[in-house]
Amino acid sequence: MSDTTYLIAFITVSAVATFATRIIPFLFFERHTEHPLIKHLGRYLPAAVMALLATVFLQRSADWSATVPGLDAILAGALVVIVHLWRRNALLSIAAGTAAYMLIRQTGILESGVVG
Amino acid sequence: MNSQVFRLTLPILFGYIPLGMAFGVLFTTQLDYAWWAAPLMGLVIYAGAGQILAVSLLAASAGMLEVFIAMFVLNARHLFFGLSLLGQFRGAGWRKLYLIFGLTDETYSMLTTRIRSHDKAHEQDIDFRITAFNQVYWVIGCTLGAVLGRNVVFDSTGIEFALVALFIVLTIEQLKALGDAFPVWTGAAAAGVAMILLPAAHQLIGAIAIVTAVLLLQYRSMRSRSGTESSHV
């Protein structure tokens, strides 16, 4: 297999595998849209998924080797929550938290001397 | 309508461009393939973590079965996303396949949290535009990263926190819309359990499996309490 053939095959297989994960529920559960269990999941699953995505990615964005482990992400995350409860403007909350996180990361004010 | 969609998807722009660039830079600096393969992957695969995994699979010249399994397993959490969108996407016509194709974590979050009117066709049109805008940001990021390679000058360190902030904001919005904190705590707790027990690559799917199991149990206990248990399996 030449390099280009391999690359094209690779991209095709990856695209099919990714698309499969997204379309399978629509193929197998389409007829059950009105089933109370599907409605139950439709109502509560998004909130649960959002909370778990927030938790996992917050943990991954944290510097656990800093003087106070994880403080960078905790501060920025708390700022998002506070600004959002205060003004309830999604863009403002996201901008404030992201700016705070970038500032902390780029100035390195919370890092330990060892990691520097 | 497009300016409204643009404003709605701005946080995703701030997340997707730097993340797409990270993928593009990784792609051109780790591999010998032509730069255009990076935006092509953003166009036809369209999966953040999936594409980054793809770089290491390409570097290892992985076999096709291996590639399929690795990509499927990594993206398996999307299996659960569709379950809560069956009704929302119903009757979307030609747009439906694209809506399904573009169901990334971030797009799913936007589509399930935003406030909707009763005009279903109009809302599906907005869903479609949100999905398309998000993918455009992603492909732009992939292209920039692949073309610029190591010459990226702007210090955007930390800008990807926009996506974390987006998930936090959407969690608060979900909480307010539902008026029920149970799913939110379940999600956070499931994430905690998954992060302790599983390696990073399997944490999301693990947490989503836990959450779905808990919601199933909650459903069963609600049904048995309301005494209509016998009608469905």
Side-chain angles (χ1 to χ4, degrees):
Chain A
M1 227 184 329
S2 81
D3 265 9
T4 313
T5 321
Y6 174 76
L7 181 66
I8 298 300
F10 181 96
I11 293 177
T12 309
V13 168
S14 304
V16 170
T18 305
F19 187 56
T21 62
R22 292 174 184 165
I23 201 169
I24 282 173
F26 293 90
L27 297 178
F28 291 95
F29 294 98
E30 190 72 80
R31 286 177 297 117
H32 307 291
T33 309
E34 297 304 315
H35 190 285
L37 172 59
I38 293 295
K39 289 192 143 177
H40 181 80
L41 287 179
R43 188 167 147 79
Y44 295 111
L45 194 60
V49 168
M50 232 60 75
L52 76 85
L53 287 172
T55 310
V56 168
F57 287 110
L58 193 66
Q59 185 269 130
R60 287 184 188 174
S61 61
D63 178 3
W64 296 104
S65 64
T67 318
V68 184
L71 188 63
D72 50 354
I74 292 167
L75 282 180
L79 188 66
V80 175
V81 174
I82 292 165
V83 173
H84 198 66
L85 291 178
W86 174 41
R87 300 302 291 269
R88 215 174 165 188
N89 175 335
L91 264 189
L92 182 71
S93 326
I94 291 165
T98 308
Y101 182 81
M102 288 175 76
L103 193 74
I104 293 170
R105 268 295 155 99
Q106 293 188 12
T107 55
I109 44 173
L110 293 179
E111 280 167 33
S112 65
V114 194
V115 182
Chain B
M1 185 164 31
N2 280 336
S3 68
Q4 181 201 341
V5 170
F6 179 70
R7 238 178 318 135
L8 210 59
T9 56
L10 259 183
I12 296 187
L13 181 141
F14 292 130
Y16 271 13
I17 294 204
L19 277 183
M21 284 178 73
F23 159 75
V25 170
L26 197 66
F27 185 90
T28 36
T29 54
Q30 303 291 311
L31 304 168
D32 284 329
Y33 293 107
W35 68 269
W36 51 258
L40 180 67
M41 287 166 78
L43 204 63
V44 301
I45 304 174
Y46 188 33
Q51 284 175 229
I52 290 173
L53 171 73
V55 173
S56 48
L57 291 171
L58 275 172
S61 300
M64 288 305 144
L65 184 63
E66 197 181 342
V67 172
F68 186 89
I69 294 171
M71 296 298 278
F72 190 89
V73 170
L74 184 71
N75 290 311
R77 66 184 177 284
H78 296 142
L79 288 168
F80 298 90
F81 288 1
L83 286 179
S84 42
L85 290 169
L86 292 170
Q88 191 170 319
F89 285 179
R90 177 166 266 187
W94 60 272
R95 294 190 179 93
K96 188 169 172 177
L97 269 185
Y98 182 69
L99 283 168
I100 295 172
F101 164 81
L103 217 45
T104 58
D105 295 353
E106 293 75 16
T107 304
Y108 173 75
S109 307
M110 292 245 93
L111 299 192
T112 52
T113 308
R114 70 187 191 83
I115 296 151
R116 316 179 71 83
S117 70
H118 289 296
D119 183 352
K120 198 169 178 183
H122 175 72
E123 294 303 331
Q124 284 174 341
D125 186 32
I126 295 182
D127 283 350
F128 179 79
R129 284 163 201 256
I130 290 174
T131 308
F133 272 58
N134 291 349
Q135 193 179 11
V136 168
Y137 306 147
W138 177 251
V139 174
I140 290 174
C142 294
T143 312
L144 284 176
V147 171
L148 295 175
R150 288 188 203 280
N151 305 318
V152 177
V153 277
F154 167 59
D155 186 1
S156 60
T157 308
I159 199 169
E160 68 284 352
F161 192 81
L163 293 180
V164 183
L166 174 73
F167 291 136
I168 295 174
V169 163
L170 294 178
T171 304
I172 297 173
E173 290 299 324
Q174 286 278 350
L175 188 60
K176 291 194 181 240
L178 275 180
D180 179 357
F182 178 75
V184 169
W185 291 120
T186 306
V193 171
M195 289 188 300
I196 292 167
L197 296 181
L198 299 170
H202 304 306
Q203 286 168 356
L204 289 179
I205 179 69
I208 290 178
I210 296 171
V211 149
T212 309
V214 171
L215 289 178
L216 288 176
L217 289 174
Q218 185 200 21
Y219 172 78
R220 282 190 57 170
S221 74
M222 277 167 63
R223 281 183 71 84
S224 59
R225 237 180 293 140
S226 62
T228 50
E229 209 172 25
S230 51
S231 58
H232 286 96
V233 178

